[in-house]
Amino acid sequence: MTRWIAAVLVVAAYAALCIAAMRAHRRRRASAAPDDDEHVIVAYGSQTGFAEQLARHAARSLHGAGVPARVMALSDLSTKALERARRALFVVSTSGEGDPPDNAVLFARRLLGADLALSGLRYGMLALGDRSYARYCGFGRSVDGWLRERGAQPMFERLDVDSGDEAALRTWHQRLGDLAGTDVGHAWDAGEFAPWRLVERRWLNRGSAGGAVFHLELQPDGGRSWQAGDLLQVVAPGDPLRPRDYSIASVPSDGRVHLLVRQQRHADGTLGVASGWLTRDAAIGSEVRARLRPNDGFRIAGNEARPLILIGNGTGLAGLRAHLKARPSGRHWMIFGERNAAHDFLHRAEIEAWRERKVVERLDLVFSRDQAPRRYVQHVLVESARDVRRWLADGAAVYVCGSRDGMAAGVHAALIEVAGANAVEQLLQEGRYRRDVY
């Protein structure tokens, strides 16, 4: 019995020693790891994925210089984390006329304007925008102004970047070096513009009451790869400092990048610099300077087999077309709108073939001028509310491509009406509501 008691005591003492050692090890690990407050928060608001790429590059640069950093979307930034933070970098794009990009909508709703105490925060702001808009860098300016009002101290004056201006991005990289107190490696490089060849151009909507829409095909010089949802950035000779982004309407197995481009006309009747050159002036066989641009915000995210509700109008068909080409099987509900069925049913034979082969399980076509009162894609969502809720309950993601102000805004309002604001917020948080709008 005495030996048994002694053995039990030895085992108990050994267990206590092990527990003490484990606790000490955890304390050492905790003390060795940087405190959350010591991290530089790198928060991004990104519509096409460019701001996110810049944010992740900034974090990698800081890490390489020994400065811990955490990257997150603005909508994932909590009140507590922001109030505790000592240093933060904001890489913020603007959607349309001063609106937040999709992954900053919740931030704009919950934090922006809130009465937070941020006097302990030092921050840097990189605002991305396009000078052709009246509210150039409008959302970035709003965030910057709010941070100052709440007592946050800028580490440097806000940097406004017009259409990815490389000189401004080099200045941003210098500021990262100032923050780290050392060299932070190579500056952001979006890649060189390479020669592509314009090999096909077709007018798709002859007789339309709207602007002419052309299907273009560009052949790369050498191998190129992209994913459905990505963009092609094109340099027009008439305005080489402002590359234009176009939604890609094809997949790599097509061997070419397909674009859908509508001619833009100014008040005096002249064509837009880029659209006029691509659709009229550039000769077939001529060189086009372009580069591929990843667009994580419109790629298929998460479950590759999840159902998709694909909604678009006009040249927004491009982004939907790429996803359907990339996923010839699966559940797809396509809602597409244009003016008149007689002239504006873009890629009609292809879409009807998708319906026949069940690539598209459900197809709703809305031609606004073919009936009175006019009807648009958002009306389909409201009229089919029960089906929309059923698809969402089955895990469907919503992808929207096309015009921002009319179609996309109407679709957003319709989703809130059909599913509720909380459900739409949840879709955004889960990455199940994605938009490529312009």
Side-chain angles (χ1 to χ4, degrees), residues 78-96:
S78 68
T79 300
K80 181 179 179 181
L82 189 57
E83 288 185 321
R84 288 183 57 188
R86 298 176 184 176
R87 295 179 295 177
L89 296 173
F90 296 88
V91 185
V92 180
S93 67
T94 293
S95 180

Side-chain angles (χ1 to χ4, degrees), residues 79 82-85 114-121 146-147 150-152:
T79 300
L82 189 57
E83 288 185 321
R84 288 183 57 188
D115 188 15
L116 303 186
L118 301 179
S119 58
L121 174 67
W146 173 70
L147 289 168
R150 304 320 316 150

Side-chain angles (χ1 to χ4, degrees), residues 104-365:
V105 168
L106 300 184
F107 169 86
R109 186 174 303 156
R110 296 173 180 175
L111 270 72
L112 190 59
D115 188 15
L116 303 186
L118 301 179
S119 58
L121 174 67
R122 298 174 64 240
Y123 74 96
M125 171 68 66
L126 183 70
L128 308 179
D130 182 337
R131 286 191 185 278
S132 65
Y133 286 92
R135 294 198 62 201
Y136 168 56
C137 290
F139 183 63
R141 292 169 185 256
S142 296
V143 176
D144 183 42
W146 173 70
L147 289 168
R148 291 173 184 257
E149 289 173 0
R150 304 320 316 150
Q153 299 297 314
M155 292 183 279
F156 48 83
E157 286 302 308
R158 185 188 67 245
L159 292 171
D160 294 344
V161 181
D162 179 25
S163 301
D165 176 61
E166 293 183 3
L169 293 178
R170 285 194 295 271
T171 301
W172 165 252
H173 193 71
Q174 293 168 4
R175 299 295 178 266
L176 295 178
D178 295 340
L179 172 60
T182 185
D183 178 63
V184 290
H186 297 292
W188 165 258
D189 182 8
E192 295 294 326
F193 286 96
W196 295 61
R197 197 71 51 190
L198 178 60
V199 294
E200 185 172 339
R201 179 168 57 214
R202 286 183 280 131
W203 189 357
L204 297 183
N205 64 338
R206 291 180 184 274
S208 173
V213 174
F214 290 81
H215 171 99
L216 308 179
E217 296 188 14
L218 288 87
Q219 179 75 48
D221 288 354
R224 295 286 187 273
S225 183
W226 64 92
Q227 293 186 34
D230 287 349
L231 308 171
L232 187 73
Q233 196 169 56
V234 176
V235 175
D239 189 4
L241 298 180
R242 294 185 60 251
R244 270 65 166 186
D245 290 336
Y246 294 96
S247 304
I248 295 177
S250 57
V251 291
S253 60
D254 290 318
R256 300 172 178 176
V257 158
H258 299 181
L259 306 178
L260 296 180
V261 180
R262 188 185 300 275
Q263 286 183 343
Q264 301 297 319
R265 287 193 179 273
H266 302 301
D268 62 2
T270 59
L271 290 177
V273 171
S275 68
W277 175 66
L278 284 171
T279 62
R280 185 190 65 185
D281 299 332
I284 298 299
S286 64
E287 181 180 289
V288 175
R289 303 292 294 179
R291 66 186 175 194
L292 293 162
R293 182 165 163 181
N295 184 9
D296 292 337
F298 202 65
R299 288 178 172 179
I300 300 295
N303 181 1
E304 292 283 337
R306 73 166 67 254
L308 300 183
I309 303 175
L310 303 168
I311 307 170
N313 72 329
T315 57
L317 176 62
L320 312 187
R321 185 176 187 254
H323 282 312
L324 288 168
K325 279 175 163 284
R327 290 194 2 154
S329 61
R331 295 186 63 200
H332 302 115
W333 177 0
M334 182 177 180
I335 307 172
F336 176 69
E338 250 291 357
R339 288 176 174 82
N340 302 105
H343 305 293
D344 301 300
F345 195 162
L346 310 178
H347 285 297
R348 178 172 188 162
E350 184 175 56
I351 292 173
E352 291 181 337
W354 281 334
R355 176 166 55 184
E356 289 296 320
R357 300 199 311 268
K358 304 300 183 185
V359 173
V360 176
E361 179 179 314
R362 174 171 173 174
L363 176 64
D364 285 279
L365 300 169

Side-chain angles (χ1 to χ4, degrees), residues 35-52:
D35 188 89
D36 280 349
D37 295 347
E38 296 301 322
H39 284 81
V40 176
I41 289 177
V42 185
Y44 62 85
S46 183
Q47 190 65 44
T48 65
F50 185 44
E52 180 179 357

